[in-house]
Structures are given as C-alpha cells and as structure tokens.
Amino acid sequence: MAGPSAEDVKVLGLSLSPFVIRVRIALRLKRVEYELVEVRITEPKSEILVKSNPVYKKIPVLLHRGKPICESAVIVQYIDEEWTDGGGSSSILPADPFDRAIARFWAAYIDIKLPAPVRALRFETEAAKEVELAEQIRQALGLLEEAFVECGKGKGFFGGDAVGYVDIALGSYLGWMMALEKAKSVKLLDAEKLPRLAGWAERFLAEESVKGLVPDADEYQKFYAAAAARTSATPA
C-alpha cells in the first residue's frame, strides 16, 4: 500500500460509526495503512479521545504522526490533500472548483438532513411517528436522487466513474438505513421511487474500497440489542 505505515496513522473511533466509516473508506481509497483504535465514547470517555479532541470529545479523530485532525468531513478532505503522491489512488474531491463546491454542498446537506431522523427512528416505538420519520428520510433522499444526476454526470457514482466525496458522505449511512428497514419494516431506499440511489447503493457497497467497512443490518441490530440489554441491567 502507498503512504505511511500504520504506525504513522491511527483512527480513533468505532467500526459501526458512519463518521468513522467515512474516514476508513477515504484511507483505503488512498491506499494508506492505518490502525483503528476503538475508544469509549460514553462517560468516562477514553483519555486518548478527550486529549485528541478536547473541543467536542467525539469520534472520529485521525492521528497522523501524532497530530490530531477532527470531524469526519475535515478528515476526509485532509486525507485527499495529504496523500497525492501518484501511487495509483484516486482523488476524492473533484478537481474542478465548481464541482468541488457542489460536492461539499451536498455532503453538508447529508449531515444536516440525515443524522437526526435516522437517530430518532432507531429509538422510536410509536408506529405513527416511525412513519413520519421514515418519510423525512425519504424526502431528504429524494433531493439526493436529483443531485445524483448533476454530480454523477451520467456515471455510476456521485464522483463520476469512481467513489468520491458525496459517495462517502452518503454511503456511510447505508448500514444504518438497511438496519432500520429491517427492524422497523419501512422502506427508505425504495427502488421504485429512488431508482438512481437504489442502483448507486448496490454499486457503492460492491466497491473494493467499501467492502467490509459498511456493516450489514444484522451487525447493527446485534449492537443495539446488546446496548439495550446493558441499559436494562443498569440499576436505577
């Protein structure tokens, strides 16, 4: 692999986190070896996390030669700019300034529109509210269905011929969405209503840079079942 050894690059986070998944995909695209350091994100949080990200104390954090870079969007851009040594890796952000601005816009849109309803749907138990939250997610995806035409320019990915910045931003949520579809019996990426995104999702998950990094629905369900069991066992 190109780039520094795993001793130079560490990712602080958890394998199920969509934000950590982004960083790991970007590093794989750039053929950079790294070590995933799993940290505790509930109190008391891991000392290395608090020390590396004293402002937000959140994952992910990229440690490159001991220096921390925080926030997944910032980290992915850093990776794209840092590892451009011609080792056969592709660029993550578009070269054209306008296309790059559009990619950043839609990645920011994803982080504004998706996290809240996805998180709320995970814990919602009332059927009517589940339907409402699922519709919020579908509406957000509907605009991305249209954006795919502009960004992808008729190719297979938002990044064109290859996985790019918006692909990473949205693709990191696919595991969560598949888990919600299974657990809540709702359809989010409906192939009839969102044919472009449904086809894109299949291609994205089949990419070598992605395989094994986006957990399947069963892994998420096991995680939440274990978390629920721990919560119920905790004394009041």
Side-chain angles (χ1 to χ4, degrees), residues 74-202:
V74 175
I75 296 170
V76 171
Q77 292 182 56
Y78 174 85
I79 291 168
D80 194 33
E81 295 169 0
E82 175 66 18
W83 286 287
T84 56
D85 59 0
S89 60
S90 60
S91 294
I92 295 171
L93 279 156
D96 180 80
F98 178 78
D99 290 341
R100 192 159 59 245
I102 294 299
R104 285 176 171 145
F105 172 87
W106 285 113
Y109 168 87
I110 289 164
D111 280 347
I112 291 169
K113 294 294 185 179
L114 283 184
V118 166
R119 187 180 302 111
L121 184 55
R122 288 205 316 254
F123 299 107
E124 185 56 65
T125 57
E126 187 177 323
K129 289 185 178 179
E130 287 181 350
V131 171
E132 181 182 338
L133 288 166
E135 182 57 27
Q136 287 183 31
I137 296 170
R138 284 192 293 267
Q139 287 180 3
L141 293 174
L143 284 182
L144 289 166
E145 172 88 356
E146 298 174 15
F148 183 78
V149 177
E150 178 184 15
C151 296
K153 299 178 180 179
K155 305 294 180 63
F157 299 96
F158 283 92
D161 289 316
V163 168
Y165 191 60
V166 182
D167 299 285
I168 293 172
L170 181 57
S172 63
Y173 283 102
L174 285 176
W176 287 113
M177 286 193 283
M178 291 186 295
L180 288 172
E181 287 183 334
K182 188 172 183 178
K184 302 292 185 176
S185 298
V186 297
K187 195 64 180 174
L188 302 176
L189 275 173
D190 191 327
E192 292 185 5
K193 296 180 179 179
L194 302 170
R196 297 186 187 95
L197 280 189
W200 162 83
E202 290 184 8

Side-chain angles (χ1 to χ4, degrees), residues 5 9 11 18 21 28 40-41 53 65-66 78 81 90 93 101 134 149 167 173 184 206 211 214-216 218:
S5 69
V9 182
V11 177
I21 290 168
R28 186 181 284 181
R40 183 179 176 86
I41 60 174
N53 188 1
R65 300 191 183 99
Y78 174 85
E81 295 169 0
S90 60
L93 279 156
V149 177
D167 299 285
Y173 283 102
K184 302 292 185 176
K211 285 181 180 178
V214 177
D216 61 26
D218 290 338

